[in-house]
Amino acid sequence: MVQLSKFIAVAAACLAAPAIAHPGEKHNPHVLKREIHTRDAMAAHAKRSLGGCESTFHARELNKRSIARRSRTVQKLRQKRGITASPKKQRRDLAALEKWEAIDHNRTDILDYSPATPESVIFAANTSCILSPTVTDGPYYVWGEVVRQNVKEDLYSDGVDVFLEVQYIDINTCKPVPGALVDIWQANATGVYSGISESGNYAADGWDSTYLRGIQQTDRDGVATFESIFPGHYEGRATHTHLLTHLNATLLPNKTLEVGTGSVAHIGQLFWNEVLRSAVEDTYPYNTNTQNVTTNAEDMWSIEQADSAYDPFPEYLYLGDDLDDGLFAWIQIGINATADFTDNSYYSIAAYYDADGGHQNEDSSFGGGSGGGSGGGAPSGSAPSGTMAGASPSASA
């Protein structure tokens, strides 16, 4: 086993003048500042709420189950992939990290390695008392993706494998949120999103592409799992993974969501440690990405999401002795299960995917605007054709 070497520093959250988050996405800095202040207040309240119930019996039992589940998952992944080498041990210099990147989330690197290190140290969650706030879904959200755990496809999905576990906790009760339908989407190794064929992001197969997109339903412990890759970077944004959480949405027999049903309880982005990102991007095909890198410290949304009250960085563990063996990553996200952001300006549907393939939502405006993106041709609800999707490695997303 491996042992956690985790350091806590003072979070230095700062507000910078927003840069272009995605091509076409702009926000008023004064409005953004007010919204950050509001979210900070909400996060502080949520943290107090979670702190008041985290010691309850059901919360302690949930934590025990989570630790055991993550341990079993890693063991199964290592067995399935035939990994016999001990996980890589490294020494990290905390001072080398961006100063506001408050937590060393790497649970692989061990300063005092011992096979006797308890699993409770390794696999405890990082966010049991921290709220991850709602932020923009960006202009590249596609409604109609298929329920699937493995979002990789035959084309344009090469990269470092990531097995991601996301667990949702209700901030009001410290209980898990079962039955939530969680959308995931991200850029591929060369920084291109599927499903979008617009200036700034031309995916091969255009609107019909679906790689690195999918939906999973949370189980009784509020857990959704995905098999994906480490996301690639693109100019203007730090490396990130998008998540959007639906509650009480109708799941159709063809494994897609019925349009217009349920609430949007959370919109968030996961960010990744700079040291890990640098290591990943030294590998192929990430090293063919010619777009400029934006660090976490330079990114408008990671700054908004990183604070003493919430933490947008997943914990991660090298499954073997190098990145070729893949990563296991996990995070708990505290949400208000009674919230609904369907009509929020940050919730915008850029495109739909249905039996006829993908098509743009003409009523959607980048950076929010359409409040759910109604119009532009709602999806039929029929199952997608299953055509393999791709992206142009030379395109910018």
PDB file of all heavy atoms in Angstrom, residues 214-251:
ATOM      1  N   GLY A 214     -20.469  11.656 -21.536  1.00  0.00           N
ATOM      2  CA  GLY A 214     -21.359  10.599 -21.095  1.00  0.00           C
ATOM      3  C   GLY A 214     -22.064  10.968 -19.808  1.00  0.00           C
ATOM      4  O   GLY A 214     -21.830  12.024 -19.215  1.00  0.00           O
ATOM      5  N   ILE A 215     -22.947  10.077 -19.377  1.00  0.00           N
ATOM      6  CA  ILE A 215     -23.754  10.297 -18.185  1.00  0.00           C
ATOM      7  C   ILE A 215     -23.724   9.034 -17.332  1.00  0.00           C
ATOM      8  O   ILE A 215     -23.768   7.919 -17.851  1.00  0.00           O
ATOM      9  CB  ILE A 215     -25.221  10.619 -18.559  1.00  0.00           C
ATOM     10  CG1 ILE A 215     -25.295  11.900 -19.398  1.00  0.00           C
ATOM     11  CG2 ILE A 215     -26.094  10.769 -17.310  1.00  0.00           C
ATOM     12  CD1 ILE A 215     -26.679  12.179 -19.951  1.00  0.00           C
ATOM     13  N   GLN A 216     -23.644   9.223 -16.025  1.00  0.00           N
ATOM     14  CA  GLN A 216     -23.785   8.122 -15.081  1.00  0.00           C
ATOM     15  C   GLN A 216     -24.734   8.523 -13.965  1.00  0.00           C
ATOM     16  O   GLN A 216     -24.838   9.705 -13.598  1.00  0.00           O
ATOM     17  CB  GLN A 216     -22.426   7.743 -14.486  1.00  0.00           C
ATOM     18  CG  GLN A 216     -21.603   6.812 -15.362  1.00  0.00           C
ATOM     19  CD  GLN A 216     -22.172   5.403 -15.370  1.00  0.00           C
ATOM     20  OE1 GLN A 216     -21.968   4.619 -14.459  1.00  0.00           O
ATOM     21  NE2 GLN A 216     -22.908   5.089 -16.433  1.00  0.00           N
ATOM     22  N   GLN A 217     -25.436   7.516 -13.420  1.00  0.00           N
ATOM     23  CA  GLN A 217     -26.358   7.745 -12.318  1.00  0.00           C
ATOM     24  C   GLN A 217     -25.683   7.375 -11.008  1.00  0.00           C
ATOM     25  O   GLN A 217     -25.010   6.348 -10.910  1.00  0.00           O
ATOM     26  CB  GLN A 217     -27.625   6.928 -12.506  1.00  0.00           C
ATOM     27  CG  GLN A 217     -28.748   7.275 -11.537  1.00  0.00           C
ATOM     28  CD  GLN A 217     -30.070   6.661 -11.953  1.00  0.00           C
ATOM     29  OE1 GLN A 217     -30.116   5.603 -12.565  1.00  0.00           O
ATOM     30  NE2 GLN A 217     -31.165   7.339 -11.637  1.00  0.00           N
ATOM     31  N   THR A 218     -25.871   8.215  -9.994  1.00  0.00           N
ATOM     32  CA  THR A 218     -25.251   7.939  -8.707  1.00  0.00           C
ATOM     33  C   THR A 218     -25.957   6.776  -8.007  1.00  0.00           C
ATOM     34  O   THR A 218     -27.171   6.608  -8.127  1.00  0.00           O
ATOM     35  CB  THR A 218     -25.266   9.166  -7.786  1.00  0.00           C
ATOM     36  OG1 THR A 218     -26.622   9.602  -7.584  1.00  0.00           O
ATOM     37  CG2 THR A 218     -24.466  10.304  -8.393  1.00  0.00           C
ATOM     38  N   ASP A 219     -25.182   5.985  -7.262  1.00  0.00           N
ATOM     39  CA  ASP A 219     -25.734   4.852  -6.534  1.00  0.00           C
ATOM     40  C   ASP A 219     -26.226   5.293  -5.157  1.00  0.00           C
ATOM     41  O   ASP A 219     -26.344   6.488  -4.870  1.00  0.00           O
ATOM     42  CB  ASP A 219     -24.699   3.723  -6.442  1.00  0.00           C
ATOM     43  CG  ASP A 219     -23.459   4.118  -5.642  1.00  0.00           C
ATOM     44  OD1 ASP A 219     -23.490   5.152  -4.924  1.00  0.00           O
ATOM     45  OD2 ASP A 219     -22.441   3.404  -5.730  1.00  0.00           O
ATOM     46  N   ARG A 220     -26.499   4.338  -4.282  1.00  0.00           N
ATOM     47  CA  ARG A 220     -27.082   4.660  -2.971  1.00  0.00           C
ATOM     48  C   ARG A 220     -26.145   5.492  -2.115  1.00  0.00           C
ATOM     49  O   ARG A 220     -26.586   6.182  -1.188  1.00  0.00           O
ATOM     50  CB  ARG A 220     -27.460   3.381  -2.240  1.00  0.00           C
ATOM     51  CG  ARG A 220     -26.272   2.552  -1.760  1.00  0.00           C
ATOM     52  CD  ARG A 220     -26.726   1.249  -1.135  1.00  0.00           C
ATOM     53  NE  ARG A 220     -25.588   0.492  -0.575  1.00  0.00           N
ATOM     54  CZ  ARG A 220     -25.243   0.511   0.700  1.00  0.00           C
ATOM     55  NH1 ARG A 220     -25.932   1.250   1.553  1.00  0.00           N
ATOM     56  NH2 ARG A 220     -24.220  -0.194   1.133  1.00  0.00           N
ATOM     57  N   ASP A 221     -24.846   5.445  -2.417  1.00  0.00           N
ATOM     58  CA  ASP A 221     -23.879   6.260  -1.695  1.00  0.00           C
ATOM     59  C   ASP A 221     -23.536   7.546  -2.436  1.00  0.00           C
ATOM     60  O   ASP A 221     -22.550   8.219  -2.114  1.00  0.00           O
ATOM     61  CB  ASP A 221     -22.603   5.463  -1.421  1.00  0.00           C
ATOM     62  CG  ASP A 221     -22.756   4.530  -0.228  1.00  0.00           C
ATOM     63  OD1 ASP A 221     -23.660   4.771   0.605  1.00  0.00           O
ATOM     64  OD2 ASP A 221     -21.982   3.570  -0.118  1.00  0.00           O
ATOM     65  N   GLY A 222     -24.356   7.890  -3.435  1.00  0.00           N
ATOM     66  CA  GLY A 222     -24.142   9.136  -4.170  1.00  0.00           C
ATOM     67  C   GLY A 222     -22.959   9.111  -5.110  1.00  0.00           C
ATOM     68  O   GLY A 222     -22.437  10.169  -5.475  1.00  0.00           O
ATOM     69  N   VAL A 223     -22.539   7.923  -5.544  1.00  0.00           N
ATOM     70  CA  VAL A 223     -21.309   7.769  -6.320  1.00  0.00           C
ATOM     71  C   VAL A 223     -21.612   7.519  -7.799  1.00  0.00           C
ATOM     72  O   VAL A 223     -22.434   6.656  -8.139  1.00  0.00           O
ATOM     73  CB  VAL A 223     -20.469   6.610  -5.762  1.00  0.00           C
ATOM     74  CG1 VAL A 223     -19.264   6.339  -6.658  1.00  0.00           C
ATOM     75  CG2 VAL A 223     -20.012   6.925  -4.350  1.00  0.00           C
ATOM     76  N   ALA A 224     -20.947   8.271  -8.655  1.00  0.00           N
ATOM     77  CA  ALA A 224     -20.922   8.015 -10.090  1.00  0.00           C
ATOM     78  C   ALA A 224     -19.472   7.804 -10.494  1.00  0.00           C
ATOM     79  O   ALA A 224     -18.581   8.513 -10.017  1.00  0.00           O
ATOM     80  CB  ALA A 224     -21.519   9.184 -10.869  1.00  0.00           C
ATOM     81  N   THR A 225     -19.231   6.821 -11.357  1.00  0.00           N
ATOM     82  CA  THR A 225     -17.858   6.522 -11.776  1.00  0.00           C
ATOM     83  C   THR A 225     -17.747   6.616 -13.293  1.00  0.00           C
ATOM     84  O   THR A 225     -18.675   6.262 -14.026  1.00  0.00           O
ATOM     85  CB  THR A 225     -17.429   5.122 -11.322  1.00  0.00           C
ATOM     86  OG1 THR A 225     -18.335   4.141 -11.848  1.00  0.00           O
ATOM     87  CG2 THR A 225     -17.440   5.032  -9.805  1.00  0.00           C
ATOM     88  N   PHE A 226     -16.601   7.085 -13.733  1.00  0.00           N
ATOM     89  CA  PHE A 226     -16.341   7.235 -15.163  1.00  0.00           C
ATOM     90  C   PHE A 226     -14.952   6.706 -15.497  1.00  0.00           C
ATOM     91  O   PHE A 226     -14.026   6.820 -14.691  1.00  0.00           O
ATOM     92  CB  PHE A 226     -16.408   8.709 -15.573  1.00  0.00           C
ATOM     93  CG  PHE A 226     -17.764   9.330 -15.437  1.00  0.00           C
ATOM     94  CD1 PHE A 226     -18.112  10.014 -14.284  1.00  0.00           C
ATOM     95  CD2 PHE A 226     -18.691   9.225 -16.460  1.00  0.00           C
ATOM     96  CE1 PHE A 226     -19.359  10.585 -14.141  1.00  0.00           C
ATOM     97  CE2 PHE A 226     -19.946   9.804 -16.338  1.00  0.00           C
ATOM     98  CZ  PHE A 226     -20.287  10.484 -15.175  1.00  0.00           C
ATOM     99  N   GLU A 227     -14.849   6.139 -16.680  1.00  0.00           N
ATOM    100  CA  GLU A 227     -13.551   5.763 -17.230  1.00  0.00           C
ATOM    101  C   GLU A 227     -13.269   6.712 -18.377  1.00  0.00           C
ATOM    102  O   GLU A 227     -13.983   6.743 -19.372  1.00  0.00           O
ATOM    103  CB  GLU A 227     -13.574   4.317 -17.717  1.00  0.00           C
ATOM    104  CG  GLU A 227     -12.232   3.829 -18.228  1.00  0.00           C
ATOM    105  CD  GLU A 227     -12.235   2.367 -18.617  1.00  0.00           C
ATOM    106  OE1 GLU A 227     -13.209   1.674 -18.257  1.00  0.00           O
ATOM    107  OE2 GLU A 227     -11.282   1.941 -19.280  1.00  0.00           O
ATOM    108  N   SER A 228     -12.226   7.512 -18.227  1.00  0.00           N
ATOM    109  CA  SER A 228     -11.927   8.549 -19.204  1.00  0.00           C
ATOM    110  C   SER A 228     -10.418   8.656 -19.360  1.00  0.00           C
ATOM    111  O   SER A 228      -9.683   7.710 -19.071  1.00  0.00           O
ATOM    112  CB  SER A 228     -12.548   9.882 -18.760  1.00  0.00           C
ATOM    113  OG  SER A 228     -12.416  10.873 -19.747  1.00  0.00           O
ATOM    114  N   ILE A 229      -9.957   9.816 -19.809  1.00  0.00           N
ATOM    115  CA  ILE A 229      -8.533  10.118 -19.865  1.00  0.00           C
ATOM    116  C   ILE A 229      -8.297  11.435 -19.151  1.00  0.00           C
ATOM    117  O   ILE A 229      -9.233  12.189 -18.871  1.00  0.00           O
ATOM    118  CB  ILE A 229      -8.007  10.199 -21.314  1.00  0.00           C
ATOM    119  CG1 ILE A 229      -8.668  11.367 -22.060  1.00  0.00           C
ATOM    120  CG2 ILE A 229      -8.188   8.892 -22.047  1.00  0.00           C
ATOM    121  CD1 ILE A 229      -8.007  11.724 -23.375  1.00  0.00           C
ATOM    122  N   PHE A 230      -7.044  11.701 -18.848  1.00  0.00           N
ATOM    123  CA  PHE A 230      -6.680  12.998 -18.296  1.00  0.00           C
ATOM    124  C   PHE A 230      -6.947  14.043 -19.379  1.00  0.00           C
ATOM    125  O   PHE A 230      -6.534  13.881 -20.523  1.00  0.00           O
ATOM    126  CB  PHE A 230      -5.208  13.006 -17.898  1.00  0.00           C
ATOM    127  CG  PHE A 230      -4.816  14.180 -17.053  1.00  0.00           C
ATOM    128  CD1 PHE A 230      -4.911  14.106 -15.675  1.00  0.00           C
ATOM    129  CD2 PHE A 230      -4.347  15.359 -17.623  1.00  0.00           C
ATOM    130  CE1 PHE A 230      -4.555  15.189 -14.866  1.00  0.00           C
ATOM    131  CE2 PHE A 230      -3.988  16.440 -16.844  1.00  0.00           C
ATOM    132  CZ  PHE A 230      -4.092  16.354 -15.459  1.00  0.00           C
ATOM    133  N   PRO A 231      -7.660  15.122 -19.051  1.00  0.00           N
ATOM    134  CA  PRO A 231      -8.021  16.096 -20.087  1.00  0.00           C
ATOM    135  C   PRO A 231      -6.822  16.863 -20.613  1.00  0.00           C
ATOM    136  O   PRO A 231      -5.851  17.109 -19.896  1.00  0.00           O
ATOM    137  CB  PRO A 231      -8.995  17.031 -19.360  1.00  0.00           C
ATOM    138  CG  PRO A 231      -8.631  16.908 -17.916  1.00  0.00           C
ATOM    139  CD  PRO A 231      -8.180  15.490 -17.719  1.00  0.00           C
ATOM    140  N   GLY A 232      -6.903  17.242 -21.879  1.00  0.00           N
ATOM    141  CA  GLY A 232      -5.882  18.085 -22.474  1.00  0.00           C
ATOM    142  C   GLY A 232      -6.177  19.554 -22.231  1.00  0.00           C
ATOM    143  O   GLY A 232      -7.286  19.942 -21.851  1.00  0.00           O
ATOM    144  N   HIS A 233      -5.171  20.384 -22.458  1.00  0.00           N
ATOM    145  CA  HIS A 233      -5.340  21.815 -22.240  1.00  0.00           C
ATOM    146  C   HIS A 233      -5.668  22.516 -23.548  1.00  0.00           C
ATOM    147  O   HIS A 233      -5.441  21.990 -24.637  1.00  0.00           O
ATOM    148  CB  HIS A 233      -4.074  22.435 -21.636  1.00  0.00           C
ATOM    149  CG  HIS A 233      -2.965  22.612 -22.640  1.00  0.00           C
ATOM    150  ND1 HIS A 233      -2.005  21.652 -22.873  1.00  0.00           N
ATOM    151  CD2 HIS A 233      -2.682  23.648 -23.488  1.00  0.00           C
ATOM    152  CE1 HIS A 233      -1.180  22.081 -23.821  1.00  0.00           C
ATOM    153  NE2 HIS A 233      -1.572  23.290 -24.202  1.00  0.00           N
ATOM    154  N   TYR A 234      -6.218  23.710 -23.420  1.00  0.00           N
ATOM    155  CA  TYR A 234      -6.356  24.592 -24.578  1.00  0.00           C
ATOM    156  C   TYR A 234      -6.190  26.024 -24.109  1.00  0.00           C
ATOM    157  O   TYR A 234      -6.312  26.329 -22.914  1.00  0.00           O
ATOM    158  CB  TYR A 234      -7.690  24.385 -25.305  1.00  0.00           C
ATOM    159  CG  TYR A 234      -8.905  24.483 -24.434  1.00  0.00           C
ATOM    160  CD1 TYR A 234      -9.567  25.694 -24.244  1.00  0.00           C
ATOM    161  CD2 TYR A 234      -9.414  23.358 -23.800  1.00  0.00           C
ATOM    162  CE1 TYR A 234     -10.689  25.781 -23.450  1.00  0.00           C
ATOM    163  CE2 TYR A 234     -10.535  23.429 -23.001  1.00  0.00           C
ATOM    164  CZ  TYR A 234     -11.172  24.646 -22.835  1.00  0.00           C
ATOM    165  OH  TYR A 234     -12.282  24.723 -22.039  1.00  0.00           O
ATOM    166  N   GLU A 235      -5.917  26.898 -25.046  1.00  0.00           N
ATOM    167  CA  GLU A 235      -5.532  28.265 -24.718  1.00  0.00           C
ATOM    168  C   GLU A 235      -6.658  29.006 -23.996  1.00  0.00           C
ATOM    169  O   GLU A 235      -7.817  28.956 -24.402  1.00  0.00           O
ATOM    170  CB  GLU A 235      -5.149  29.021 -25.989  1.00  0.00           C
ATOM    171  CG  GLU A 235      -4.489  30.356 -25.726  1.00  0.00           C
ATOM    172  CD  GLU A 235      -3.800  30.908 -26.968  1.00  0.00           C
ATOM    173  OE1 GLU A 235      -3.767  30.200 -27.991  1.00  0.00           O
ATOM    174  OE2 GLU A 235      -3.299  32.039 -26.901  1.00  0.00           O
ATOM    175  N   GLY A 236      -6.298  29.661 -22.902  1.00  0.00           N
ATOM    176  CA  GLY A 236      -7.241  30.486 -22.180  1.00  0.00           C
ATOM    177  C   GLY A 236      -7.877  29.829 -20.978  1.00  0.00           C
ATOM    178  O   GLY A 236      -8.545  30.502 -20.192  1.00  0.00           O
ATOM    179  N   ARG A 237      -7.711  28.519 -20.817  1.00  0.00           N
ATOM    180  CA  ARG A 237      -8.286  27.816 -19.677  1.00  0.00           C
ATOM    181  C   ARG A 237      -7.268  26.864 -19.078  1.00  0.00           C
ATOM    182  O   ARG A 237      -6.492  26.229 -19.780  1.00  0.00           O
ATOM    183  CB  ARG A 237      -9.515  26.989 -20.101  1.00  0.00           C
ATOM    184  CG  ARG A 237     -10.770  27.777 -20.441  1.00  0.00           C
ATOM    185  CD  ARG A 237     -11.266  28.663 -19.302  1.00  0.00           C
ATOM    186  NE  ARG A 237     -11.223  27.994 -17.999  1.00  0.00           N
ATOM    187  CZ  ARG A 237     -12.151  27.159 -17.551  1.00  0.00           C
ATOM    188  NH1 ARG A 237     -13.203  26.875 -18.283  1.00  0.00           N
ATOM    189  NH2 ARG A 237     -12.034  26.619 -16.355  1.00  0.00           N
ATOM    190  N   ALA A 238      -7.297  26.739 -17.747  1.00  0.00           N
ATOM    191  CA  ALA A 238      -6.518  25.698 -17.083  1.00  0.00           C
ATOM    192  C   ALA A 238      -7.141  24.339 -17.395  1.00  0.00           C
ATOM    193  O   ALA A 238      -8.318  24.242 -17.771  1.00  0.00           O
ATOM    194  CB  ALA A 238      -6.494  25.931 -15.579  1.00  0.00           C
ATOM    195  N   THR A 239      -6.382  23.290 -17.257  1.00  0.00           N
ATOM    196  CA  THR A 239      -6.865  21.944 -17.541  1.00  0.00           C
ATOM    197  C   THR A 239      -7.999  21.597 -16.573  1.00  0.00           C
ATOM    198  O   THR A 239      -7.856  21.724 -15.359  1.00  0.00           O
ATOM    199  CB  THR A 239      -5.714  20.931 -17.394  1.00  0.00           C
ATOM    200  OG1 THR A 239      -4.678  21.293 -18.315  1.00  0.00           O
ATOM    201  CG2 THR A 239      -6.189  19.521 -17.691  1.00  0.00           C
ATOM    202  N   HIS A 240      -9.132  21.123 -17.118  1.00  0.00           N
ATOM    203  CA  HIS A 240     -10.304  20.910 -16.276  1.00  0.00           C
ATOM    204  C   HIS A 240     -11.230  19.861 -16.877  1.00  0.00           C
ATOM    205  O   HIS A 240     -11.146  19.518 -18.048  1.00  0.00           O
ATOM    206  CB  HIS A 240     -11.074  22.223 -16.069  1.00  0.00           C
ATOM    207  CG  HIS A 240     -11.619  22.801 -17.335  1.00  0.00           C
ATOM    208  ND1 HIS A 240     -10.844  23.503 -18.232  1.00  0.00           N
ATOM    209  CD2 HIS A 240     -12.863  22.770 -17.883  1.00  0.00           C
ATOM    210  CE1 HIS A 240     -11.579  23.888 -19.266  1.00  0.00           C
ATOM    211  NE2 HIS A 240     -12.813  23.446 -19.074  1.00  0.00           N
ATOM    212  N   THR A 241     -12.133  19.377 -16.032  1.00  0.00           N
ATOM    213  CA  THR A 241     -13.171  18.431 -16.412  1.00  0.00           C
ATOM    214  C   THR A 241     -14.512  18.999 -15.985  1.00  0.00           C
ATOM    215  O   THR A 241     -14.663  19.451 -14.841  1.00  0.00           O
ATOM    216  CB  THR A 241     -12.948  17.066 -15.724  1.00  0.00           C
ATOM    217  OG1 THR A 241     -11.686  16.535 -16.111  1.00  0.00           O
ATOM    218  CG2 THR A 241     -14.052  16.079 -16.085  1.00  0.00           C
ATOM    219  N   HIS A 242     -15.497  18.992 -16.883  1.00  0.00           N
ATOM    220  CA  HIS A 242     -16.818  19.531 -16.581  1.00  0.00           C
ATOM    221  C   HIS A 242     -17.724  18.463 -15.966  1.00  0.00           C
ATOM    222  O   HIS A 242     -17.720  17.304 -16.399  1.00  0.00           O
ATOM    223  CB  HIS A 242     -17.497  20.039 -17.858  1.00  0.00           C
ATOM    224  CG  HIS A 242     -16.891  21.264 -18.437  1.00  0.00           C
ATOM    225  ND1 HIS A 242     -17.259  22.535 -18.058  1.00  0.00           N
ATOM    226  CD2 HIS A 242     -15.937  21.421 -19.393  1.00  0.00           C
ATOM    227  CE1 HIS A 242     -16.555  23.425 -18.759  1.00  0.00           C
ATOM    228  NE2 HIS A 242     -15.749  22.774 -19.564  1.00  0.00           N
ATOM    229  N   LEU A 243     -18.543  18.875 -14.998  1.00  0.00           N
ATOM    230  CA  LEU A 243     -19.582  18.031 -14.418  1.00  0.00           C
ATOM    231  C   LEU A 243     -20.868  18.835 -14.289  1.00  0.00           C
ATOM    232  O   LEU A 243     -20.836  20.018 -13.928  1.00  0.00           O
ATOM    233  CB  LEU A 243     -19.175  17.533 -13.028  1.00  0.00           C
ATOM    234  CG  LEU A 243     -17.972  16.600 -12.939  1.00  0.00           C
ATOM    235  CD1 LEU A 243     -17.565  16.422 -11.486  1.00  0.00           C
ATOM    236  CD2 LEU A 243     -18.289  15.244 -13.563  1.00  0.00           C
ATOM    237  N   LEU A 244     -21.984  18.189 -14.580  1.00  0.00           N
ATOM    238  CA  LEU A 244     -23.286  18.829 -14.420  1.00  0.00           C
ATOM    239  C   LEU A 244     -24.240  17.788 -13.856  1.00  0.00           C
ATOM    240  O   LEU A 244     -24.309  16.665 -14.369  1.00  0.00           O
ATOM    241  CB  LEU A 244     -23.800  19.380 -15.753  1.00  0.00           C
ATOM    242  CG  LEU A 244     -25.043  20.268 -15.698  1.00  0.00           C
ATOM    243  CD1 LEU A 244     -24.989  21.331 -16.797  1.00  0.00           C
ATOM    244  CD2 LEU A 244     -26.323  19.446 -15.847  1.00  0.00           C
ATOM    245  N   THR A 245     -24.970  18.149 -12.801  1.00  0.00           N
ATOM    246  CA  THR A 245     -25.751  17.177 -12.048  1.00  0.00           C
ATOM    247  C   THR A 245     -27.245  17.449 -12.161  1.00  0.00           C
ATOM    248  O   THR A 245     -27.720  18.536 -11.800  1.00  0.00           O
ATOM    249  CB  THR A 245     -25.344  17.208 -10.565  1.00  0.00           C
ATOM    250  OG1 THR A 245     -23.927  17.123 -10.463  1.00  0.00           O
ATOM    251  CG2 THR A 245     -25.984  16.062  -9.806  1.00  0.00           C
ATOM    252  N   HIS A 246     -27.977  16.451 -12.677  1.00  0.00           N
ATOM    253  CA  HIS A 246     -29.434  16.532 -12.774  1.00  0.00           C
ATOM    254  C   HIS A 246     -30.067  15.730 -11.641  1.00  0.00           C
ATOM    255  O   HIS A 246     -29.629  14.613 -11.342  1.00  0.00           O
ATOM    256  CB  HIS A 246     -29.934  15.923 -14.090  1.00  0.00           C
ATOM    257  CG  HIS A 246     -29.221  16.400 -15.313  1.00  0.00           C
ATOM    258  ND1 HIS A 246     -29.681  17.442 -16.090  1.00  0.00           N
ATOM    259  CD2 HIS A 246     -28.081  15.966 -15.918  1.00  0.00           C
ATOM    260  CE1 HIS A 246     -28.862  17.626 -17.115  1.00  0.00           C
ATOM    261  NE2 HIS A 246     -27.888  16.743 -17.024  1.00  0.00           N
ATOM    262  N   LEU A 247     -31.114  16.275 -11.032  1.00  0.00           N
ATOM    263  CA  LEU A 247     -31.911  15.536 -10.064  1.00  0.00           C
ATOM    264  C   LEU A 247     -33.337  15.388 -10.587  1.00  0.00           C
ATOM    265  O   LEU A 247     -33.880  16.322 -11.211  1.00  0.00           O
ATOM    266  CB  LEU A 247     -31.938  16.251  -8.715  1.00  0.00           C
ATOM    267  CG  LEU A 247     -30.612  16.350  -7.953  1.00  0.00           C
ATOM    268  CD1 LEU A 247     -30.832  17.039  -6.614  1.00  0.00           C
ATOM    269  CD2 LEU A 247     -29.988  14.987  -7.746  1.00  0.00           C
ATOM    270  N   ASN A 248     -33.922  14.212 -10.371  1.00  0.00           N
ATOM    271  CA  ASN A 248     -35.309  13.922 -10.762  1.00  0.00           C
ATOM    272  C   ASN A 248     -35.542  14.040 -12.262  1.00  0.00           C
ATOM    273  O   ASN A 248     -36.662  14.295 -12.701  1.00  0.00           O
ATOM    274  CB  ASN A 248     -36.283  14.856 -10.006  1.00  0.00           C
ATOM    275  CG  ASN A 248     -36.145  14.741  -8.505  1.00  0.00           C
ATOM    276  OD1 ASN A 248     -36.140  13.642  -7.954  1.00  0.00           O
ATOM    277  ND2 ASN A 248     -36.005  15.879  -7.823  1.00  0.00           N
ATOM    278  N   ALA A 249     -34.501  13.841 -13.038  1.00  0.00           N
ATOM    279  CA  ALA A 249     -34.659  13.819 -14.492  1.00  0.00           C
ATOM    280  C   ALA A 249     -35.129  12.431 -14.930  1.00  0.00           C
ATOM    281  O   ALA A 249     -34.867  11.427 -14.263  1.00  0.00           O
ATOM    282  CB  ALA A 249     -33.338  14.163 -15.178  1.00  0.00           C
ATOM    283  N   THR A 250     -35.833  12.380 -16.052  1.00  0.00           N
ATOM    284  CA  THR A 250     -36.359  11.121 -16.558  1.00  0.00           C
ATOM    285  C   THR A 250     -35.342  10.456 -17.465  1.00  0.00           C
ATOM    286  O   THR A 250     -34.893  11.051 -18.459  1.00  0.00           O
ATOM    287  CB  THR A 250     -37.654  11.356 -17.341  1.00  0.00           C
ATOM    288  OG1 THR A 250     -38.628  11.960 -16.468  1.00  0.00           O
ATOM    289  CG2 THR A 250     -38.214  10.038 -17.882  1.00  0.00           C
ATOM    290  N   LEU A 251     -34.990   9.224 -17.112  1.00  0.00           N
ATOM    291  CA  LEU A 251     -34.058   8.449 -17.927  1.00  0.00           C
ATOM    292  C   LEU A 251     -34.865   7.573 -18.872  1.00  0.00           C
ATOM    293  O   LEU A 251     -35.657   6.731 -18.444  1.00  0.00           O
ATOM    294  CB  LEU A 251     -33.172   7.590 -17.025  1.00  0.00           C
ATOM    295  CG  LEU A 251     -32.050   6.802 -17.690  1.00  0.00           C
ATOM    296  CD1 LEU A 251     -31.065   7.750 -18.367  1.00  0.00           C
ATOM    297  CD2 LEU A 251     -31.331   5.944 -16.658  1.00  0.00           C
TER     298      LEU A 251
END
